[in-house]
Amino acid sequence: MSHLPSAGPTSVRTTGDYYQWLVAWEACLTLLRETTARSPNPVRAVGVELDNVGNLDDVVLLRDVPPNTYKQVKYAVDSATPVNEEYLTKPSANGGPSILKKIARTWKQLTADGGSADLRLVTNRAADPEDALVAGRDARTGLLMPKAAIGGAKSDRGKARAQWAQEAGLTETELIDLLSVLRFDLPLDVVWYQEKLQLLMAVTGLRHDQRALEEGAGWVAKMVREGRRQLTLSMIEAAVAELDLKAGPARAVLSIATLKPDPLAANADHAIDWVDRFDGDSEYTKRRPLSPNTWAQLQADIEAAPGRLSAGTTAVSVTGSIRLAPAFLVGTTFRMVTGTDLAAVQRGRAGSQLWSTNDPFDTTLAPGVTEYEVGQGDEIAVAIAVATDLTKDVLEYLREQNLPAGKLIVLTPPSGTANDGSVPNSTAANALAVGIRDHLRHSTRRVRRMHLFLACPMGLAVLLGNRWNRLCQTLVYEDIKIDDGYEAAFTVEA
């Protein structure tokens, strides 16, 4: 692969503009989704280089009830300028005020009447880990608080606070107030932003391929060229129709993260963040709750999610990084009898797809079925072997743990061969989920309890849980890979 040449001034300028259009298109998507999802205080208009809001005018999310969100967007072509005291406090290239002084002036202007404001510095620059204040940034909120307020006047943070306050033209108390509302959204590079926006477009009910993303950002650029400073709901809806972007309903977003942070968490209607409550150093090793946290607590959090969404919500998309047992539980929490159209973003060989419980299919797909005698009791074990064959591991676990199962039913794709591409799309996933459920209704109708083991696409686990009714009590297991191999996670009444 050949290297790209160094970026020239025109390249830097046009890429910086494109970066700003991505940030603005994200705001437009937020307006669309929040309006449809009946958010209590939705975005009503998006400002781009809006008048009378000082230097935080690049992208503004205007709401009926404050705080509005004011974003200053700063693109860098390389990593030579991390976000630190020097970057924030040095004068501009032409000797004008520093970034921090501009932000401070705008903040005082926006809050002069005693109101509130949500301020954002959005950039692809990284935080300087050696900077006394920036190094304390909370990754969950983007704020430098509360760590920025810790330490006396002679501490490194204290000295930095004094320097920042002097440069900003604020007292230290005012600086702390500013840092309590100024979020540092970083490092958000172009590729990351594109991937996030494609997810956001999917849950907003739009086409979410790269071409669709470029068309959305291009429309923002067109509006700016025409001098339109506020983008309203009617303008954005007209653009969606003109560009033929509509693909389905806009959805409320339920973000659940147990393996790594969810890019859409900040855009979610309700977010469950268990990343720090799962055992393991990376997304590949996080497989079960870290004591004293328990599966029961996670189940309670997930099952409380419907009550955290706006009343009347009928279309929900689950985003984030979760393993199969929690994905199945999400499906049972929003099961079909509740009337909820539940969807999940499924990544696969064909790219990212939105698998929805409302996607139609013509014929149920009957799974392949193999049964193994276990002879340890009157309950049933079921292995969903769609992505890989877990038969040997489950049989070993059943016998080692002496679980009271009379037999193990292994359900595979109709072809009989488990592989990671055996379910190509949402239509096939829905058809197979119904086929699996119908088979189990017949084969377990006299069984008191079922032990369920999953090896399937995450989206199929969600769709299967959604249809999990008229079945016996189900104990769902998670593959923890260590110790005994599996661990009982959730109990579902079906």
Side-chain angles (χ1 to χ4, degrees):
M1 178 178 177
S2 60
H3 297 291
L4 292 174
S6 298
T10 301
S11 173
V12 174
R13 184 174 63 253
T14 56
T15 305
D17 288 343
Y18 174 66
Y19 187 73
Q20 182 177 347
W21 310 151
L22 290 179
V23 178
W25 181 237
E26 176 190 18
C28 294
L29 296 173
T30 301
L31 184 155
L32 286 176
R33 195 185 57 75
E34 288 188 355
T35 300
T36 305
R38 303 177 185 178
S39 297
N41 185 30
V43 176
R44 61 173 175 82
V46 175
V48 185
E49 298 179 356
L50 197 61
D51 291 329
N52 302 317
V53 294
N55 292 98
L56 290 163
D57 63 342
D58 289 341
V59 178
V60 182
L61 283 71
L62 298 167
R63 301 180 185 274
D64 288 325
V65 180
N68 297 320
T69 299
Y70 302 86
K71 298 188 178 187
Q72 185 168 32
V73 181
K74 293 288 188 181
Y75 173 77
V77 71
D78 56 34
S79 301
T81 53
V83 176
N84 55 20
E85 181 178 309
E86 179 184 1
Y87 171 73
L88 293 169
T89 62
K90 73 177 182 180
S92 65
N94 60 5
S98 67
I99 293 172
L100 182 61
K101 182 168 288 187
K102 291 177 181 178
I103 291 175
R105 287 177 178 176
T106 300
W107 169 67
K108 296 195 79 169
Q109 172 189 330
L110 294 172
T111 59
D113 60 356
S116 59
D118 174 31
L119 312 182
R120 308 286 182 108
L121 176 62
V122 182
T123 179
N124 59 332
R125 294 170 172 84
D128 185 345
E130 302 300 323
D131 186 88
L133 296 185
V134 177
R137 173 181 173 271
D138 189 328
R140 298 167 298 178
T141 64
L143 295 169
L144 303 191
M145 297 291 288
K147 290 186 178 179
I150 298 173
K154 295 183 179 181
S155 68
D156 289 343
R157 287 198 184 104
K159 294 175 182 177
R161 284 197 306 270
Q163 181 64 29
W164 284 38
Q166 180 179 359
E167 173 57 32
L170 303 174
T171 67
E172 286 197 38
T173 299
E174 289 174 327
L175 177 69
I176 293 301
D177 290 341
L178 170 60
L179 296 183
S180 296
V181 297
L182 174 59
R183 301 176 191 271
F184 291 76
D185 291 346
L186 48 98
L188 309 183
D189 63 40
V190 171
V191 173
W192 183 93
Y193 233 122
Q194 288 176 325
E195 292 176 350
K196 176 188 177 180
L197 289 182
Q198 286 178 283
L199 289 174
L200 193 55
M201 290 176 75
V203 301
T204 308
L206 307 182
R207 289 191 292 111
H208 55 284
D209 52 75
Q210 183 64 28
R211 178 179 176 182
L213 173 60
E214 300 288 347
E215 289 173 339
W219 175 78
V220 172
K222 179 175 180 288
M223 294 299 99
V224 173
R225 288 195 299 270
E226 293 179 356
R228 301 180 187 271
R229 301 295 182 93
Q230 281 199 40
L231 310 179
T232 64
L233 175 63
S234 61
M235 293 169 64
I236 298 168
E237 288 179 333
V240 167
E242 179 184 347
L243 298 172
D244 193 25
L245 294 179
K246 194 66 176 175
R251 301 172 180 276
V253 175
L254 170 62
S255 168
I256 306 177
T258 64
L259 310 180
K260 60 180 180 179
D262 178 13
L264 289 191
N267 302 90
D269 298 87
H270 179 56
I272 299 172
D273 184 358
W274 269 59
V275 173
D276 293 334
R277 298 171 70 180
F278 257 57
D279 193 12
D281 297 326
S282 75
E283 61 188 279
Y284 304 105
T285 59
K286 289 180 180 288
R287 292 178 176 267
R288 62 181 175 185
L290 176 66
S291 181
N293 304 293
T294 66
W295 289 111
Q297 291 170 336
L298 179 57
Q299 180 165 0
D301 283 355
I302 292 175
E303 291 182 339
R308 308 295 187 186
L309 303 178
S310 298
T313 298
T314 57
V316 177
S317 181
V318 57
T319 67
S321 54
I322 53 177
R323 295 202 180 274
L324 295 178
F328 180 84
L329 182 66
V330 171
T332 64
T333 298
F334 292 91
R335 67 187 74 187
M336 183 164 283
V337 295
T338 67
T340 303
D341 174 12
L342 183 63
V345 176
Q346 175 62 46
R347 294 180 175 87
R349 296 177 181 177
S352 293
Q353 302 176 3
L354 196 69
W355 288 10
S356 165
T357 56
N358 275 13
D359 287 337
F361 59 92
D362 295 326
T363 306
T364 297
L365 290 178
V369 181
T370 306
E371 296 189 358
Y372 298 86
E373 289 299 321
V374 179
Q376 296 175 177
D378 57 2
E379 298 177 4
I380 291 291
V382 175
I384 309 298
V386 172
T388 190
D389 185 3
L390 69 170
T391 304
K392 181 180 177 181
D393 291 342
V394 172
L395 282 171
E396 287 181 358
Y397 179 78
L398 294 173
R399 288 165 179 156
E400 289 173 357
Q401 300 300 311
N402 195 30
L403 293 185
K407 63 180 176 181
L408 169 66
I409 302 174
V410 179
L411 303 178
T412 67
S415 66
T417 303
N419 64 74
D420 59 7
S422 61
V423 184
N425 52 44
S426 181
T427 296
N430 276 286
L432 182 56
V434 173
I436 290 172
R437 180 205 61 191
D438 289 351
H439 179 84
L440 292 175
R441 279 180 177 173
H442 174 75
S443 59
T444 66
R445 66 181 182 272
R446 292 187 175 89
V447 176
R448 181 178 64 86
R449 187 165 67 166
M450 183 191 317
H451 301 263
L452 181 63
F453 301 81
L454 299 159
C456 63
M458 187 272 284
L460 178 59
V462 171
L463 300 185
L464 186 60
N466 178 258
R467 287 178 162 84
W468 205 256
N469 62 327
R470 289 182 56 212
L471 290 159
C472 60
Q473 183 188 77
T474 304
L475 190 57
V476 189
Y477 290 77
E478 186 58 82
D479 176 10
I480 62 170
K481 201 174 181 178
I482 57 174
D483 298 335
D484 298 320
Y486 291 94
E487 189 167 273
F490 309 119
T491 299
V492 173
E493 302 296 338

